[in-house]
Amino acid sequence: MKKTCLLSLVVALLSMSATVAWGQKRVDLEGIWQMCFYVSGAQDAPSTLRAGNTFKILSEDGHITNFTVIPGKGAIITGIGTYKVKNNVLRESMKKNIHLPMLDGKENDLKFTLSEDGNIMSVKFFVKEDTQGNVIDAWHYETWRRVEMPAEYPQDLVR
């Protein structure tokens, strides 16, 4: 009887532990993301989301690569490192970042929200100081759109 109760208790505790661990919200950010900007033709006109030239690759194995396409010249890698996602925080551990060198070798938490069925990611992150120690104390905001593969090759694509 005691063995049965003890076994039941162990199974219940393991089930609860698994539920807590698995119950954390799993967010799928793997893939390629393109930085976008909200632009408007006039001050009071509604803005639209337009694609930029910077991309973020979040690989399945936890690596991150940021790169920027320079029209007519090619592309450059602007950042490399690793990442983890927990709840609504994307923690980047940048090995090297030429755009924001103050993040080199540091962990940077990007708080994010997803919209449009998980295809638009709005992020904000805090930068305390620059590489010389000058105080910045500012939040930075970015908008990223997931890059999807179309069902077929676009006829009007210029390569």
Side-chain angles (χ1 to χ4, degrees):
M1 178 74 168
K2 285 184 180 182
K3 285 184 180 181
T4 304
C5 287
L6 182 59
L7 182 59
S8 296
L9 179 61
V10 169
V11 170
L13 288 173
L14 286 173
S15 296
M16 286 173 34
S17 299
T19 301
V20 169
W22 293 333
Q24 288 187 2
K25 192 174 177 183
R26 167 117 165 62
V27 179
D28 179 23
L29 298 182
E30 295 168 5
I32 302 173
W33 294 85
Q34 184 173 19
M35 186 182 271
C36 297
F37 303 91
Y38 284 98
V39 295
S40 177
Q43 184 175 351
D44 297 328
S47 60
T48 57
L49 196 59
R50 299 250 177 102
N53 295 341
T54 298
F55 296 82
K56 180 183 295 290
I57 301 172
L58 299 174
S59 69
E60 187 178 308
D61 65 356
H63 285 86
I64 181 173
T65 303
N66 294 337
F67 69 95
T68 299
V69 175
I70 305 168
K73 293 186 179 182
I76 60 169
I77 294 173
T78 56
I80 56 171
T82 59
Y83 77 95
K84 291 181 182 178
V85 178
K86 185 173 181 181
N87 297 323
N88 281 22
V89 175
L90 169 62
R91 174 168 284 168
E92 294 180 342
S93 299
M94 299 306 291
K95 180 177 178 182
K96 180 76 175 162
N97 187 324
I98 64 171
H99 174 62
L100 296 170
M102 68 283 280
L103 301 178
D104 284 1
K106 297 189 173 107
E107 290 186 337
N108 186 32
D109 287 346
L110 288 78
K111 298 177 183 181
F112 69 89
T113 57
L114 295 174
S115 59
E116 295 189 27
D117 294 326
N119 293 312
I120 300 293
M121 177 172 52
S122 301
V123 303
K124 73 175 188 174
F125 60 94
F126 189 77
V127 175
K128 183 170 178 63
E129 57 189 31
D130 66 14
T131 54
Q132 286 78 40
N134 299 312
V135 176
I136 295 177
D137 281 342
W139 285 96
H140 295 259
Y141 297 84
E142 298 174 345
T143 302
W144 297 85
R145 177 184 290 147
R146 189 184 299 272
V147 177
E148 299 278 332
M149 180 183 285
E152 58 185 49
Y153 193 83
Q155 296 300 315
D156 60 348
L157 185 67
V158 178
R159 290 181 47 165

